[in-house]
Amino acid sequence: MTNSKIRLATASPGTQATTKETLAQVDQLAKSAAANRADLLLLPEAYLGGYPRGLDFGCKVGARTAEGRDQYLHYFKGAVDLGDTVGDGAGAGEAWVKRQLGSVPESKDGKASAVEVRGDGTREELERIARDTGVFIVVGLVEKAGGSLYCAVIYVCPKLGVIGKRRKVMPSCIKQKSRT
């Protein structure tokens, strides 16, 4: 049996103002990991889509302020859309991983796309970064599917693309507050 080693790189960067900017940061981190001969890059929970640190969304038991609703809507819109379904909360599973859900055949400029895209393109960009750098990426994200938000982690192989995802339903702010 061969004793092979896996070199792990970790980083705890802050989420940038937009998903596009955060993905650009992932690209730089993966390039740095590759330059240091890392095999795997591990990034934080809710790194893509943003962690709602310090936000209460205007919640009180039985009520939410108008400002809190607007704050939550902004947060929801900033979540990542990977093109998965809600399903029983676990999404479409293997059908999503294997791209068997169908696609949106057009790119943003209205022309046919050579790459199958569902969602906002985040999955495809992560796959490109992993492929270009040769680094396996594990990244936490806030995913939106249907009307729900999920705290998820996605596993991106440089050779195979996305090989899996784990998600959990994000609790409402009242549930979060009652646990503290």
Side-chain angles (χ1 to χ4, degrees):
M1 180 184 280
T2 306
N3 184 12
S4 60
K5 294 182 181 180
I6 296 175
R7 292 178 56 104
L8 173 66
T10 62
S12 295
T15 299
Q16 301 302 294
T18 66
T19 299
K20 182 178 180 178
E21 290 173 34
T22 307
L23 285 167
Q25 189 176 50
V26 171
D27 193 26
Q28 291 304 310
L29 291 166
K31 286 175 181 173
S32 177
N36 286 290
R37 299 185 351 245
D39 301 298
L40 188 143
L41 173 61
L42 181 60
L43 295 165
E45 175 183 28
Y47 175 54
L48 290 167
Y51 194 84
R53 184 173 289 115
L55 299 178
D56 65 11
F57 303 117
C59 288
K60 294 180 183 173
V61 175
R64 179 180 280 173
T65 65
E67 180 184 7
R69 289 181 198 280
D70 291 341
Q71 193 178 54
Y72 184 80
L73 181 60
H74 177 75
Y75 179 62
F76 186 88
K77 288 180 177 180
V80 174
D81 180 359
L82 296 174
D84 199 356
T85 61
V86 174
D88 62 358
E94 281 294 305
W96 176 78
V97 170
K98 294 181 177 180
R99 297 181 181 273
Q100 297 170 338
L101 298 180
S103 65
V104 179
E106 294 185 1
S107 63
K108 292 178 184 172
D109 61 6
K111 297 178 183 174
S113 174
V115 177
E116 182 178 321
V117 176
R118 285 183 54 92
D120 62 15
T122 297
R123 173 186 178 156
E124 293 74 19
E125 182 63 5
L126 288 169
E127 289 175 328
R128 181 201 63 76
I129 293 166
R131 184 177 56 251
D132 289 356
T133 62
V135 175
F136 193 109
I137 300 170
V138 178
V139 61
L141 52 92
V142 177
E143 178 191 11
K144 61 184 166 188
S148 297
L149 291 178
Y150 301 90
C151 189
V153 62
I154 190 168
Y155 311 95
V156 190
C157 174
K159 294 179 182 172
L160 302 174
V162 170
I163 62 166
K165 176 179 63 167
R166 170 77 171 102
R167 63 158 69 147
K168 64 181 179 180
V169 176
M170 295 188 69
S172 68
C173 75
I174 290 296
K175 286 181 185 174
Q176 288 173 349
K177 289 181 138 215
S178 68
R179 292 178 183 167
T180 58

